[in-house]
Amino acid sequence: MITIRYLRILTPTFKQILIQNKHLSPAIISSSKVRPIENFTIPIRNYAKGKDKKKDKSKGKVHVNEEQLKSVINLDGLKTQMEKSLNQMRDDFIKNLSLRSTSGSIESLPVSFDGAEHELQELGQIVRKNPKTIVINMISFPQAIPQVLEAIKKSGMNLNPQQDGTTLFIPVPKVTKEHRENLSKNAKTLFLKCRDTIKDVQNGFIKKVKNQKDISDDLNHQVQAQITALADGYIREAEKVLDTKQAELLGGKD
């Protein structure tokens, strides 16, 4: 509120208004009771600034209309590629992120050899000698030993194989806090790889849609938004798998 004290300058104006009013007596107009305004109050309303207004940050959900998508893109192909990435991450978690290194997880370990990728069990005979040692007999493919050693060391299972001729001995490490944390980091790395692959699939399909000239702009934008929504759904599912795996890896006791 703003108060203006002794606003005398307005008095002549008020008198002029009174004179024009024929219903008032001249005596009243000239009366000393018509005094200068001592307190003149102007109400001012304070409006909130834009930055103070509550913003609605919630985003509207995109409804996925599969029939509409099928009319524009190969929806089955899109889902297949994204599901493949998600399933690959799940398989990698099972094979490479075990707290206890088992002969089963070693058997399916991928090894690049002779221009192709093989499971370790295809190249050597794997035996659990005792709870603390895994033995791999490489007599059938001794030339693949360097590649096998490299694959084991890079498996993320914290394994340090020892070679004796054509036989590999793998001590099973104790489950330590550091080992758990390393496995958890490896899980995050595999998740990021999965997420990026799904995003690549998304971007590839969106690029194709953008180049389609036989559909309206509205439909084009709707399809792009729905493709993104589908990709986000697969990524959220991958995040759930990651959270579950990390809780498993970090939640136990040594």
Side-chain angles (χ1 to χ4, degrees):
M1 305 289 285
I2 297 176
T3 301
I4 303 175
R5 299 177 62 83
Y6 303 105
L7 196 57
R8 300 175 183 275
I9 193 170
L10 293 180
T11 303
T13 302
F14 288 162
K15 285 186 176 182
Q16 183 64 30
I17 294 173
L18 293 174
I19 290 172
Q20 292 176 356
N21 192 328
K22 299 179 181 180
H23 298 288
L24 296 177
S25 168
I28 295 177
I29 296 174
S30 60
S31 172
S32 60
K33 292 183 179 180
V34 180
R35 298 177 180 177
I37 299 175
E38 295 184 354
N39 289 286
F40 186 76
T41 303
I42 302 175
I44 295 180
R45 184 173 181 178
N46 295 317
Y47 292 91
K49 296 182 179 179
K51 64 180 181 180
D52 296 328
K53 294 180 180 179
K54 186 177 181 181
K55 296 181 180 179
D56 183 10
K57 296 182 179 180
S58 60
K59 296 181 179 179
K61 291 185 178 180
V62 176
H63 173 68
V64 177
N65 185 332
E66 294 199 356
E67 291 302 320
Q68 186 182 63
L69 284 176
K70 287 179 180 179
S71 68
V72 180
I73 65 170
N74 180 1
L75 180 58
D76 291 337
L78 172 69
K79 287 184 174 181
T80 298
Q81 292 183 50
M82 292 185 176
E83 287 171 0
K84 181 180 178 181
S85 300
L86 181 57
N87 291 332
Q88 182 63 55
M89 188 190 78
R90 287 193 177 105
D91 290 343
D92 289 339
F93 279 5
I94 294 172
K95 294 176 182 178
N96 303 325
L97 300 177
S98 174
L99 283 174
R100 293 288 182 182
S101 301
T102 64
S103 56
S105 59
I106 292 292
E107 287 174 357
S108 57
L109 186 68
V111 179
S112 297
F113 171 67
D114 199 20
E117 189 172 277
H118 306 269
E119 289 189 352
L120 181 52
Q121 62 185 346
E122 298 173 6
L123 303 174
Q125 183 181 5
I126 304 171
V127 178
R128 187 77 179 243
K129 185 176 181 180
N130 56 58
K132 295 183 178 181
T133 308
I134 296 174
V135 179
I136 305 176
N137 188 339
M138 294 293 300
I139 194 169
S140 298
F141 293 93
Q143 66 274 30
I145 290 178
Q147 289 83 356
V148 170
L149 290 172
E150 182 180 8
I152 294 173
K153 290 177 181 178
K154 292 183 177 180
S155 66
M157 290 186 281
N158 194 31
L159 301 177
N160 185 25
Q162 306 296 321
Q163 181 181 356
D164 183 7
T166 58
T167 303
L168 305 180
F169 297 91
I170 305 177
V172 178
K174 180 183 177 181
V175 181
T176 63
K177 180 180 179 181
E178 181 181 5
H179 180 45
R180 291 178 184 275
E181 290 175 348
N182 286 336
L183 290 177
S184 179
K185 290 178 182 178
N186 291 339
K188 182 64 176 293
T189 299
L190 291 171
F191 160 74
L192 293 176
K193 179 181 178 181
C194 172
R195 182 201 64 185
D196 292 345
T197 303
I198 292 173
K199 284 290 185 181
D200 288 342
V201 175
Q202 167 195 314
N203 294 336
F205 273 82
I206 286 179
K207 184 177 180 180
K208 292 178 182 178
V209 172
K210 285 182 177 179
N211 292 332
Q212 291 193 29
K213 306 301 182 183
D214 57 342
I215 60 176
S216 67
D217 289 342
D218 286 344
L219 178 57
N220 197 304
H221 292 141
Q222 289 173 16
V223 170
Q224 290 182 46
Q226 291 178 55
I227 291 173
T228 300
L230 280 173
D232 290 344
Y234 281 102
I235 291 173
R236 284 194 297 271
E237 182 62 27
E239 287 176 337
K240 291 179 183 178
V241 176
L242 171 65
D243 291 342
T244 300
K245 190 62 179 181
Q246 287 186 319
E248 172 194 327
L249 295 172
L250 299 173
K253 297 181 180 180
D254 295 345

